[in-house]
Every structure is written in C-alpha cells, then in structure tokens.
C-alpha cells in the first residue's frame, strides 16, 4: 500500500468502543493533489478513522503517516500544525461571535500567541494580525461570505455555517483537509456552491479527503474513491468502477448508488 506519491497513509487501524469494533484493520493511502472520496454505509467507520487520524481517539492501534512523518497518536493541534486540518460541524451553541471574528480566531497560530508574543516585537505582532485580517477577507470573499462578515455566526443558515467551517479550514493554510459530510443538511443551491468551492480548493493544490453520502457529489468531485465497510477497506478506484462492484453494492444493500 506504500506508494511514493502518498501524502497520507493509514495502515491496519483498529479501534473499539466498549464492545463495538469500529475499525478492524483499516488501511488506505491518499495521493497528494487529489480529491479522494471516502464512502461506505452507515457505521462503516469513516468518521472514526478521521478521528483517529486527527488525534481524537485514545487507544487505537495502527500506523498513520502524513507527509512522511509518523503522526499516529499525535495531539490534535500537532496534527493540524503539520498541515492536516479537518472540519467539524459548527455546533448549534456556537459562541456569540461575528463571522469575521470567527475566521480571525482560528487563523494560523504564529507570532501573536503565547510565548512568541512575549518574544516578538509589537510591530511583528501587528503585521501578523494585519495579514490575517486581509486573508480572512480574501477567504470570506472566495466563499461569498463577505456580505455577512459582521453578522453573528448563530444567524447564519446551515449552508453558510458549512461554508464558514470550510473558510476556517482554509485559513489554516493546510496541505490536506479531511471533510466529514460538508454538504449534509445544506439546501440544494448552496450544495452546488460548496461543491464548486471544493473543486477550486482542490485545483489550488490542497489534497482533499471527502466523506459524503451524496453519490452525485462524489462522482462530480472525486478523482479516486475509497470504499470502507465494517471497519475495513473494501476497494478503491474510479467512481464508475467502485459503484459497479458487486461487493460495494452488497454492502450498501437497499441503498441506491447511482
Ligand atoms: N464514541 C463512540 N462510542 C461508541 N461507539 C462508537 C463511537 N464512535 C463510533 N462508534 C461506533 O463505531 C462504528 C463506526 O462509526 P462511525 O461513526 O465511524 O461510522 P461512519 O462510517 O462515519 O457512519 P455514518 O456514515 O453513519 O456517519 C459504529 O458502529 C458506531 O456506532
Ligand atoms: Mg460518519
């Protein structure tokens, strides 16, 4: 499974919660510069493997390599600082903050924080903040959130919250993003918009691993599709290949794939 172009490699990941075996020796790799889909029926272990990769699961076994480094069981902030950033669903009870404040809050942590702030000159801190401010505007404009920058996050629609979450991920300047159902619950007009954004993020060279149940989106966006079932890797390939595979159809039993 090790290939030279792989940016992310997971190997033989096992994780259990109580008596439930969520991951049972899952392995796959993701090539740099691709938009790769991660599909599989409910309970296949897709979200759990994202959680393992991003440092949110204690006590899993197996190897995780990102950009040549071993990141298995690294802390979440170490993983994101290495350039691998994941999205979360913005919780309903998000803090009373404007869209702009939210983007600024999660910008890359550099000179302006902690011990660095004490060591850095005030001018350097100011320049950093100014730069982050400008980049927040650029990202907001790109995601067409510029007209709601002063609105409270709580006042955004579900789809706009999804876009904001993608914006937060982009401001971290990642090499790779893990997106867990970024379009779930979004109205059809915004789905098209988010899909376009993801395609353009992919074109800008950011590698994307995308969990999505909406097969039309997987077909439209992904160069390569990985299928998981019952905590394991099942198969991978082009969308048409994997959806024509009997084993894939069987594991989705009763679910229309195309
Ligand atoms: N924290 C947890 N505690 C107990 N069981 C868990 C936990 N997290 C995941 N599981 C179980 O592990 C299995 C895999 O769940 P996971 O959420 O990874 O599936 P999924 O592929 O993301 O499914 P879906 O498509 O429905 O989001 C399921 O049986 C789930 O109930
Ligand atoms: Mg899930």
């Amino acid at each position: 499974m090790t290939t030279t172009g792989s940016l992310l490699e997971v190997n033989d990941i096992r994780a259990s919660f109580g008596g439930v075996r969520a991951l049972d020796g899952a392995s796959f790799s993701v090539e740099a510069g691709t938009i790769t889909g991660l599909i599989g029926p409910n309970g296949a272990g897709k979200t759990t493997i994202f959680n393992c990769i991003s440092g949110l699961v204690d006590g899993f076994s197996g190897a995780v390599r990102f950009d040549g480094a071993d990141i298995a069981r690294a802390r979440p902030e170490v993983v994101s600082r290495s350039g691998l950033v994941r999205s979360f669903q913005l919780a309903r009870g998000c803090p009373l903050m404007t869209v702009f404040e939210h983007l600024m809050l999660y910008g890359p942590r550099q000179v302006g924080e902690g011990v660095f702030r004490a060591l850095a000159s005030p001018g350097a801190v100011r320049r950093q903040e100014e730069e982050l401010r400008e980049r927040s505007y650029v990202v907001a404009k790109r995601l067409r959130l510029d007209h709601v920058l002063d609105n409270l996050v709580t006042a955004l629609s579900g789809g706009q919250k999804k876009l904001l979450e993608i914006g937060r991920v982009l401001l971290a300047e990642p090499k790779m993003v893990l997106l867990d159902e970024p379009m779930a619950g979004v109205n059809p007009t915004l789905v098209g918009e988010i899909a376009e954004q993801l395609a353009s993020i992919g074109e800008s060279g950011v590698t994307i691993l995308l969990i999505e149940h909406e097969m039309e989106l997987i077909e439209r966006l992904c160069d390569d599709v990985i299928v998981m079932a019952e905590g394991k890797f099942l198969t991978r390939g082009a969308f048409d290949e994997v959806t024509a595979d009997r084993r894939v159809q069987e594991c989705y039993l009763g679910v229309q794939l195309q």
Side-chain angles (χ1 to χ4, degrees), residues 149-167:
L149 274 174
D150 295 327
N151 293 9
L152 289 176
V153 176
T154 45
L156 296 180
S157 72
Q160 287 173 321
K161 281 186 187 153
K162 297 267 185 188
L163 284 167
L164 177 59
E165 182 58 2
I166 292 171

Side-chain angles (χ1 to χ4, degrees), residues 87-172:
S87 69
F88 287 99
Q89 242 175 308
L90 281 178
R92 266 185 204 193
C94 56
L96 276 183
M97 219 182 260
T98 67
V99 170
F100 188 65
E101 286 165 345
H102 187 84
L103 285 172
M104 291 283 289
L105 183 69
Y106 290 109
R109 287 137 207 235
Q110 291 169 20
V111 186
E113 282 204 7
V115 69
F116 293 108
R117 183 185 275 279
L119 295 173
S121 70
V125 173
R126 212 176 317 118
R127 273 195 303 281
Q128 282 260 322
E129 281 176 3
E130 198 47 47
E131 196 196 307
L132 178 57
R133 188 172 286 275
E134 268 166 34
R135 291 207 307 112
S136 298
Y137 276 120
V138 171
V139 166
K141 207 168 167 68
R142 178 173 183 181
L143 298 175
R144 293 183 205 152
L145 289 171
D146 45 333
H147 61 290
V148 293
L149 274 174
D150 295 327
N151 293 9
L152 289 176
V153 176
T154 45
L156 296 180
S157 72
Q160 287 173 321
K161 281 186 187 153
K162 297 267 185 188
L163 284 167
L164 177 59
E165 182 58 2
I166 292 171
R168 183 191 65 76
V169 167
L170 287 181
L171 272 166

